[in-house]
């Protein structure tokens, strides 16, 4: 079973400290078996492009490389997109 290989990747653009990011991660906790969370610290020099783009908007989420949401988790939107990707993978 290669289910884990096909798990969608949720990218969280964040920086330290980010209370909103912590909050967002808590909201996503019940779903965490269904995706791979990848965190990108926008303050790192190699992420300066993301910093310029998102410095006023974090947390920002991309799902499989596509912009999904920012500021806070839209759980309905997240679940819809996640389900869509899961159905696509089957």
């Amino acid at each position: 079973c290669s289910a884990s290989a096909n798990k969608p990747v949720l990218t969280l653009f964040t920086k330290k400290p980010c209370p909103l990011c912590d909050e967002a991660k808590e909201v996503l906790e019940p779903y965490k078996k269904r995706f791979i969370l990848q965190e990108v610290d926008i303050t790192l020099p190699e992420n300066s492009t993301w910093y310029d783009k998102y410095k006023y908007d974090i947390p920002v989420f991309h799902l499989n490389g596509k912009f999904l949401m920012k500021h806070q988790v839209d759980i309905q939107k997240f679940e819809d997109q996640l389900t869509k990707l899961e159905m696509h993978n089957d």
Side-chain angles (χ1 to χ4, degrees):
C1 178
S2 65
S4 66
N6 286 333
K7 268 192 203 172
V9 176
L10 184 68
T11 308
L12 164 59
F13 293 91
T14 184
K15 64 183 180 188
K16 303 263 183 281
C18 177
L20 286 176
C21 302
D22 298 337
E23 222 171 272
K25 284 191 278 190
E26 275 176 42
V27 173
L28 294 168
E29 186 71 21
Y31 299 90
K32 73 171 192 231
K33 286 182 171 51
R34 293 170 60 190
F35 64 88
I36 295 158
L37 181 66
Q38 183 181 45
E39 291 188 42
V40 175
D41 183 339
I42 63 169
T43 61
L44 297 176
E46 66 267 25
N47 296 328
S48 61
T49 307
W50 295 117
Y51 180 80
D52 294 340
K53 196 170 181 176
Y54 292 144
K55 60 186 167 210
Y56 303 119
D57 289 322
I58 60 165
V60 175
F61 292 94
H62 286 194
L63 190 58
N64 277 5
K66 289 197 189 102
F67 174 82
L68 181 65
M69 55 195 169
K70 64 183 181 183
H71 300 155
Q72 59 194 53
V73 173
D74 178 340
I75 210 70
Q76 195 58 57
K77 187 177 194 180
F78 174 68
E79 211 171 325
D80 290 349
Q81 294 301 318
L82 193 60
T83 304
K84 221 178 269 179
L85 286 170
E86 289 168 341
M87 282 162 47
H88 188 73
N89 280 340
D90 284 345

